[in-house]
Amino acid sequence: MGFNSLKDVLQEQLEDLHSAETQLVEALPKMARSAHHDELRQAFEHHFEETRGHLKRVEDALGELGVSQPTEVCKGMQGLIAEGEEMMAKQGDPTAKDAALIGAAQRVEHYEIAGYGTARQLADDCGFDGI
């Protein structure tokens, strides 16, 4: 797909977010199981539920654009999740490992914030009020 309009860019951004959220739905339960402190485990579980809601909203937005089968693969999220998996695989002090998991989760969150900010602005620019 080329970028012939802002709507094309919006579609690409939403497809990328769909891929990112789908990957997170798979990764967050693993992160929750890896957390040593109950509070962190609960935070990951809560974020998992939020992520499922985000995925539904992205699917709805793609539906408004006429996209039923997104094809974009979010390579950025693949990398962030791979880094998180490296943290989970390391041995060491449970508190230190949890701190590393928090760092990985913060990177993911900032990536999401950037993607949603871009998509929101593009949706506004294209006149989509419901996205």
Side-chain angles (χ1 to χ4, degrees):
M1 164 170 74
F3 293 132
N4 297 311
S5 68
L6 289 179
K7 185 178 173 187
D8 292 342
V9 180
L10 173 60
Q11 179 179 332
E12 186 276 336
Q13 291 291 303
L14 288 172
E15 287 192 35
D16 191 74
L17 284 166
H18 183 272
S19 174
E21 297 291 17
T22 300
Q23 292 175 53
L24 277 175
V25 164
E26 210 173 294
L28 282 165
K30 295 175 193 174
M31 293 178 80
R33 286 190 299 273
S34 293
H36 288 88
H37 292 88
D38 287 335
E39 200 172 330
L40 181 58
R41 184 175 15 267
Q42 290 170 5
F44 284 135
E45 290 168 352
H46 177 73
H47 192 66
F48 170 75
E49 293 303 324
E50 286 181 338
T51 300
R52 288 177 38 183
H54 295 165
L55 182 56
K56 172 72 171 101
R57 289 186 69 203
V58 170
E59 288 171 347
D60 291 345
L62 284 166
E64 283 192 44
L65 295 177
V67 178
S68 60
Q69 295 293 322
T71 59
E72 184 76 23
V73 175
C74 182
K75 295 177 186 87
M77 188 59 72
Q78 284 178 332
L80 291 170
I81 289 172
E83 286 183 358
E85 288 172 347
E86 288 176 13
M87 301 300 160
M88 289 185 277
K90 291 184 186 261
Q91 300 300 314
D93 176 71
T95 300
K97 283 189 69 173
D98 279 355
L101 284 174
I102 291 168
Q106 286 178 328
R107 285 180 185 84
V108 164
E109 196 63 28
H110 285 272
Y111 188 84
E112 286 182 290
I113 290 167
Y116 279 106
T118 300
R120 177 72 250 159
Q121 185 60 55
L122 287 166
D124 284 346
D125 293 346
C126 292
F128 290 102
D129 296 330
I131 293 180

